[in-house]
Amino acid sequence: MHFIAVQRVVLKLALAASLYCIFSITAQAASVRGVVTDASGAKVTGATVGLISNGQIVGSAVSSADGSFQIMTGVSGRFFLVVSAKSFRQLETPGFYAGRLDSVEQSVVLEPEWVRESIVVTATGTPTPQPQTSAAISVLGPLDLSLREDLVSAMRLMPGTFVAQVGQRGAQSSLFVRGGDSDANKILVDGVSAGDVGGRFDFGPLSTTAVQSAEIYRGPNTSLYGADAASGVVSLATPHGTTSFPSLLFHGDWGNFSTSREELEASGAHNKIDYYGAFSWLQTANNLPHDEYHVATSAANLGWQPNGSTQVRGTIHYGVDATGVPGTWEFHHLSDQATEKDQDIYLSASIDNQTTADFHNTVRYGLTRKREQYHLWNQTGTGVFDGFGDSFGDLVTITGANGYSVTGRALMDFAGTYPQGYQLVSNRDQMVYQGDFRFTPHLIGLVGFQYEDERGAEPGSAYYKPVDRTNYDYRAAVHGDFKNRFFYTLGGDLEHYSLFGTQTSPRAGVSLYALRPRKGIFSGTRLLFNYGDAVREPSLTDQFNSLYNFLENNSGQSTVQQLRIKPLAAPTTRTYEAGFEQALFTQHLIFRASYFHNEYGKQIEYVGLDLIPALLPNLTTAQQQELTTVLEQNFAYELTLNTEAFRAQGVETTLESGIGRNVFLRGGYTYLDAVVQRSFANADVNLLGPVPTFNGIPLGTYSPLQGARPFRRPPHTGFFTATYAARQMSVVFSSAFASRSDDSDFLGGYDINGGNSLLLPNRNLDHGYAKIDLGGSYQFLPWLGIYGQAENLTNNQHIAPIGYLSLPTNVRIGLRLQWGKEKAR
C-alpha cells in the first residue's frame, strides 16, 4: 500500500511538471493563426498550412471545419506560410516577423487552381478578394511586367482602357479609362499620389523597375482616394525583400535601334528588417531624327517590424529621363530639335499597426516632387517663312484613316528668339490616416482623413503665377457580406479643395452570388452593380490657360458676360454599372461581362489662339497680335473652360482559363459608345464665327463637336494573352487591338496662309491597329538565364494618333545573372 501511494505521488508530480513545461513553452511561443477561405469567403476545411523559417518547416497545421488554424513555435524571426488544398493553387504568403510572445493573424485566401483571382485594395481600401467586390479591377503581376521596360504596352492588356502614346519609346503616354479623360485617373505609388497637380500623369518615362504589380480599378473612386480618381485608379506596388540572405539580380539586354538596358536589384531580410533596392538604365535612339531617349530609375524599400503587430516602412522611387520630341513627323517630314526632361520623386513613409485583432490603423506620409522641362532649341523648317517669320515644313499630303487627305505646308515653329521652353513644377506633401474595424466577421467599417499641400509653378515665365492648393478629404465606408453570398460596399467623402470648394462623392456597390461556386458546367454565377460620383482637379496647365482669367486680364469682360464664361471649376463624373460573372466547368473558365454608363459634366474644352480676335473685339489688331505672341512664347496654344459634357456607355467582357498548371489564357473586348452632348464651339458660332468645314463636313479643330465622339476613344478595343510558366522556362504572348477613333490634326490656322486648309474630318481620323508582342525566358543554371522580348511584330507605325509615328518592330535579348536562391517578391 505504501508503494502504491508513493507511485501516485510520483505520477502527480510528473503530470504537474509536464503541464508546467507545456505551459512554459506555450507562454514563450509565437502563435500564428488565421482562417483559410476561398475567394468567395467560404471556409476551406482540410487545408495544409506550413510555417516556414530559414527554408525549414518549423510548424504545421490543418484547417478545421470552420477553416481556422493555429501554429505554435518557440522560434522567433521571419516566417511565411505555404498553404495547399485540393482544387486550389498552392499559395505562399508574404514574409512577416514574429517574436516569441507575438500572436500574429495571417488569414489566407486560396484561389481556384485554373484561374487567377487576386487580393485587391483599391475597391474597398482594405485587402479583399476580387470576387467579394463589385468593382472592375485588373491586376498586372510579375509575369506580365518582367520582360517589359515600361507600362505602356502592358496597360493595353485589360478591358475598358486605351493608351495613346504620341510617338515612340519614352514619348508622352496617356491612359483613357471607360471613355473618361486622361487627366481623370488617380495614380498611386505605394499609396502616394504620383500625378501632377491636377491629375495629369505621363506613363511614357515610367519604368517597370521596382514595380511588383499594377492594380487598375476602372470606375470613379474619389470617395476613397480624393479628387482625380474620376475615371480610374492605378496603384503600383514596390517589391519587398524576402530571402534570409542578401540576394543580387542583374539583367542586361540589347536590341535594335541602339537600345540597351541594364538593371540591378539587391534584396533580403534579417530578423525584424527587410530591404530591397534597384537601379536601371535604358537608352535608345528610336528611329526618327532627334528622338533619342534615356531613363534612369532608382528605388528602395526598407521595412522594420518591431513586433508581430506593427510595421514601419519607407519606399522611394526616383526617375530621371530625357527624350527628343520630334513632333508630328507626318505633317512636316521634319523633326523638331526639341527635348523634354523629367525628374520625379515619389516617397512613402508609413506606420501600420494591428492594434487589436479587429482594429487596424495606418498612417502614411507621402511626398511627390516632379519637374518637367521642355526646350525647343532651334527654329526648324525648310526655309519657307510667312510674313511673321514663322517657319514651315515640307509640302506633304496628309491622309487620315478615314481616307480623306489634304496637301500643303504646315506651320513648323513660330518666329521668336531661340532656344525657347517652359518648366512645370508639381510638389505635393500628403498625410493620410486610415482606420478599419471589424465589427463582426461579416462587417468592416473604415474611416479616413487626407491632407494635401500642393504647389505648382512654371519658373522663369512672367505669364504664369505660382499656385498653392490646400486640400482636405474626410471619408467613411463600410464593407460587408451576408452569409458569404451578398457582398456590399457603401461609402462617401467630404472634400474641400482650394480650387473648387466643397463637394461630396458617394459610392455604392453590391455583388450577389446567385449560384455559389461548385462542381459542374455552370459552377458559379455572380451579379454586380455599382454607382458613384466623382470630381477631379483641373491641371496646372488648365488653370494657367483659363479663358476666364485671360479675358478678365485683357479687357474681355464683355465677352465674359455675353458668353457667361465662369472661372475654372471641377469636372464631374457619375457612373452606373451592372454585370455578371459566370464560372464554367468547375471554375476552369470564367466569363465576365458588364454594362457601364458614365456621365461627364463640366469637362474642360479648348479654344485655340486663332479665335482670339473674335474673343477680344475691343483690342486693335496690333494688340491682339501682341497677346497672341506672348501666349505662343509661353506655349499656351489653347485656352480652357468648363463647357463640354459627354456620356460614355459600353460593354466590357473578359474570358480567362487555365490549361493544366502551367498555361493561362486571358482575353477581353470592350465596346464604347461615347458622344459629346454639349460643346462651346457649337453653342457660340455667332461670336466665334462658323465652324470650319471640309467638303461640307463640320470640323472640331480643338475639341469634338456636339454629337461627335470624344477624341482618342476608339469604340472597339480588345486584347489576348497566353502565358506558359514552368520552373525553368516562361513564354508570354500578348496582343492588343483598337478600331479607328475620332481625333483632330489640330492644324486650324496653321497652313501657310494662316487658314484651315489642312484640317481633316474628325470621324475615324486615327488609325486602328493590332499590336502583337512575344517574349520568353529560360533558366540554364540557378545563377544564369536568358530572356528576350519582341514588340510590335506587325511592324505597325500607326499605333500612335495621327501625325505621330510609332516604333516599328523592336527586339531585345538579354542575360540574367543571380546570386541567391530567390528573387524579391
Side-chain angles (χ1 to χ4, degrees):
M1 293 295 293
H2 177 72
F3 173 76
I4 295 174
V6 171
Q7 190 178 41
R8 287 177 178 174
V9 171
V10 171
L11 287 174
K12 289 181 181 180
L13 289 173
L15 179 60
S18 299
L19 291 174
Y20 175 78
C21 291
I22 293 172
F23 176 78
S24 299
I25 293 172
T26 303
Q28 298 181 24
S31 169
V32 181
R33 59 187 179 185
V35 178
V36 182
T37 65
D38 65 14
S40 71
K43 306 299 188 292
V44 177
T45 302
T48 301
V49 184
L51 183 65
I52 311 297
S53 179
N54 293 321
Q56 302 294 323
I57 299 177
V58 296
S60 64
V62 176
S63 61
S64 60
D66 62 355
S68 64
F69 68 90
Q70 183 172 4
I71 302 174
M72 309 295 293
T73 177
V75 180
S76 65
R78 300 196 66 82
F79 304 90
F80 64 90
L81 298 176
V82 174
V83 186
S84 59
K86 186 179 180 180
S87 301
F88 293 97
R89 185 179 290 110
Q90 181 173 286
L91 174 72
E92 185 176 307
T93 68
F96 58 91
Y97 172 81
R100 289 184 181 275
L101 302 180
D102 287 338
S103 178
V104 179
E105 292 284 337
Q106 284 286 317
S107 291
V108 177
V109 179
L110 296 177
E111 60 183 7
E113 188 172 8
W114 309 108
V115 296
R116 299 177 182 176
E117 295 175 333
S118 302
I119 303 296
V120 295
V121 177
T122 51
T124 61
T126 58
T128 306
Q130 276 181 300
Q132 297 183 28
T133 71
S134 58
I137 304 175
S138 296
V139 178
L140 299 173
L143 189 59
D144 301 301
L145 303 176
S146 62
L147 299 176
R148 300 187 183 274
E149 81 280 354
D150 61 34
L151 286 169
V152 174
S153 294
M155 294 185 67
R156 294 186 171 107
L157 305 177
M158 63 192 71
T161 62
F162 179 73
V163 179
Q165 185 170 32
V166 290
Q168 303 186 356
R169 186 180 279 121
Q172 186 180 93
S173 303
S174 304
L175 174 67
F176 300 86
V177 178
R178 289 185 168 182
D181 286 340
S182 60
D183 290 351
N185 306 307
K186 174 76 80 171
I187 313 301
L188 303 171
V189 177
D190 296 316
V192 174
S193 297
D196 293 351
V197 175
R200 175 180 172 270
F201 190 86
D202 179 8
F203 285 93
L206 182 65
S207 170
T208 55
T209 297
V211 176
Q212 173 182 265
S213 64
E215 186 175 315
I216 296 90
Y217 175 102
R218 303 183 299 279
N221 203 354
T222 61
S223 62
L224 273 178
Y225 298 102
D228 302 336
S231 286
V233 179
V234 178
S235 180
L236 309 178
T238 305
H240 295 190
T242 60
T243 58
S244 57
F245 45 84
S247 177
L248 295 177
L249 180 65
F250 172 78
H251 299 260
D253 57 64
W254 304 267
N256 56 342
F257 305 118
S258 302
T259 302
S260 66
R261 183 173 188 261
E262 297 80 33
E263 179 175 300
L264 179 65
E265 296 177 278
S267 63
H270 177 70
N271 204 13
K272 301 180 180 182
I273 295 175
D274 64 83
Y275 54 91
Y276 170 87
F279 173 80
S280 70
W281 169 267
L282 179 143
Q283 62 182 16
T284 182
N286 286 317
N287 83 324
L288 287 176
H290 309 299
D291 198 17
E292 296 84 1
Y293 167 63
H294 69 257
V295 58
T297 303
S298 306
N301 185 345
L302 180 64
W304 175 55
Q305 286 187 262
N307 53 56
S309 61
T310 303
Q311 181 176 134
V312 180
R313 184 163 299 279
T315 66
I316 185 170
H317 286 245
Y318 178 46
V320 179
D321 71 275
T323 182
V325 187
T328 48
W329 171 270
E330 290 188 313
F331 295 167
H332 310 98
H333 287 183
L334 293 172
S335 288
D336 263 326
Q337 297 183 39
T339 58
E340 181 176 309
K341 300 179 181 180
D342 300 278
Q343 304 89 43
D344 300 330
I345 300 175
Y346 312 119
L347 182 147
S348 170
S350 63
I351 301 176
D352 191 272
N353 177 255
Q354 189 72 43
T355 310
T356 68
D358 296 317
F359 189 31
H360 173 257
N361 292 276
T362 300
V363 177
R364 175 179 291 108
Y365 165 73
L367 176 148
T368 302
R369 299 290 186 267
K370 305 189 73 172
R371 305 287 186 276
E372 176 186 323
Q373 300 98 23
Y374 173 85
H375 287 95
L376 183 58
W377 300 103
N378 298 293
Q379 185 179 21
T380 303
T382 55
V384 177
F385 299 89
D386 63 11
F388 300 104
D390 302 331
S391 62
F392 290 79
D394 281 340
L395 182 68
V396 300
T397 296
I398 303 170
T399 303
N402 50 24
Y404 293 107
S405 63
V406 291
T407 301
R409 291 183 185 272
L411 186 146
M412 188 76 189
D413 291 326
F414 290 108
T417 303
Y418 287 82
Q420 297 179 354
Y422 65 81
Q423 180 179 183
L424 284 177
V425 176
S426 289
N427 295 331
R428 180 184 298 107
D429 291 282
Q430 181 183 43
M431 185 64 70
V432 179
Y433 164 75
Q434 179 176 299
D436 54 85
F437 187 82
R438 184 176 292 275
F439 294 97
T440 73
H442 301 282
L443 177 64
I444 298 176
L446 179 148
V447 294
F449 170 75
Q450 176 175 287
Y451 166 78
E452 286 183 337
D453 180 22
E454 299 181 310
R455 290 92 60 200
E458 185 175 359
S461 171
Y463 187 71
Y464 299 125
K465 298 179 180 179
V467 169
D468 194 346
R469 302 179 183 176
T470 302
N471 308 322
Y472 301 88
D473 200 314
Y474 306 87
R475 57 193 63 153
V478 293
H479 173 68
D481 70 272
F482 292 105
K483 298 184 178 180
N484 295 320
R485 196 179 189 101
F486 178 80
F487 300 90
Y488 61 90
T489 298
L490 301 172
D493 71 337
L494 177 67
E495 306 152 356
H496 180 77
Y497 280 69
S498 296
L499 188 61
F500 58 79
T502 301
Q503 296 200 33
T504 58
S505 298
R507 188 174 72 94
V510 296
S511 173
L512 170 66
Y513 271 102
L515 180 65
R516 290 293 304 271
R518 61 178 185 177
K519 294 183 179 180
I521 297 178
F522 295 97
S523 50
T525 304
R526 187 166 65 97
L527 308 178
L528 59 90
F529 173 80
N530 291 297
Y531 163 83
D533 282 353
V535 296
R536 74 173 176 90
E537 281 189 294
S539 69
L540 282 176
T541 304
D542 291 338
Q543 184 177 356
F544 290 150
N545 295 346
S546 165
L547 176 61
Y548 175 88
N549 293 341
F550 175 78
L551 294 175
E552 284 287 323
N553 295 330
N554 294 285
S555 305
Q557 287 81 4
S558 61
T559 304
V560 170
Q561 295 175 359
Q562 183 175 353
L563 300 181
R564 297 189 295 276
I565 296 173
K566 298 179 180 179
L568 212 59
T572 63
T573 304
R574 174 167 294 177
T575 187
Y576 301 90
E577 178 185 4
F580 71 94
E581 175 184 286
Q582 180 64 57
L584 301 166
F585 305 107
T586 314
Q587 292 186 290
H588 280 56
L589 186 149
I590 291 183
F591 174 74
R592 300 181 181 94
S594 61
Y595 164 78
F596 59 87
H597 184 103
N598 300 332
E599 290 285 347
Y600 297 96
K602 298 181 181 179
Q603 297 300 299
I604 293 175
E605 198 169 6
Y606 302 93
V607 176
L609 297 186
D610 59 320
L611 301 179
I612 285 180
L615 295 172
L616 298 172
N618 296 328
L619 301 185
T620 65
T621 302
Q623 289 172 325
Q624 292 172 351
Q625 182 58 43
E626 183 180 354
L627 278 174
T628 302
T629 301
V630 171
L631 289 170
E632 290 170 354
Q633 291 176 347
N634 287 278
F635 298 91
Y637 301 136
E638 299 167 330
L639 302 178
T640 58
L641 67 169
N642 297 98
T643 51
E644 186 182 65
F646 64 93
R647 66 116 171 98
Q649 62 180 352
V651 176
E652 196 177 88
T653 62
T654 60
L655 184 67
E656 61 182 52
S657 177
I659 301 176
R661 297 181 180 275
N662 304 112
V663 178
F664 181 69
L665 309 175
R666 186 170 66 95
Y669 164 76
T670 300
Y671 169 70
L672 176 67
D673 175 26
V675 62
V676 175
Q677 298 164 317
R678 186 175 64 250
S679 168
F680 177 77
N682 285 109
D684 298 293
V685 294
N686 292 332
L687 179 65
L688 299 178
V691 173
T693 61
F694 179 96
N695 293 340
I697 302 173
L699 307 178
T701 307
Y702 303 100
S703 57
L705 300 177
Q706 186 172 319
R709 295 192 297 235
F711 292 163
R712 300 180 182 177
R713 274 77 147 186
H716 305 279
T717 56
F719 68 93
F720 172 76
T721 67
T723 61
Y724 172 83
R727 180 179 296 274
Q728 288 182 284
M729 184 173 69
S730 68
V731 179
V732 180
F733 171 86
S734 62
S735 60
F737 72 85
S739 64
R740 296 177 297 175
S741 57
D742 289 14
D743 206 346
S744 173
D745 58 21
F746 299 99
L747 293 176
Y750 285 171
D751 67 16
I752 198 165
N753 299 311
N756 298 322
S757 66
L758 296 180
L759 284 176
L760 285 168
N762 306 116
R763 189 72 168 185
N764 291 332
L765 186 61
D766 286 344
H767 291 268
Y769 66 82
K771 184 177 185 293
I772 297 176
D773 305 333
L774 179 65
S777 65
Y778 187 82
Q779 196 73 25
F780 284 101
L781 299 168
W783 58 272
L784 175 64
I786 63 170
Y787 63 93
Q789 175 76 4
E791 296 200 35
N792 193 11
L793 292 176
T794 57
N795 202 39
N796 190 339
Q797 291 193 267
H798 288 104
I799 297 172
I802 187 170
Y804 301 93
L805 288 183
S806 300
L807 190 65
T809 301
N810 56 99
V811 179
R812 296 180 296 113
I813 298 176
L815 292 174
R816 179 185 291 116
L817 304 175
Q818 184 170 344
W819 182 70
K821 296 182 180 179
E822 63 177 337
K823 182 183 175 183
R825 290 184 300 276

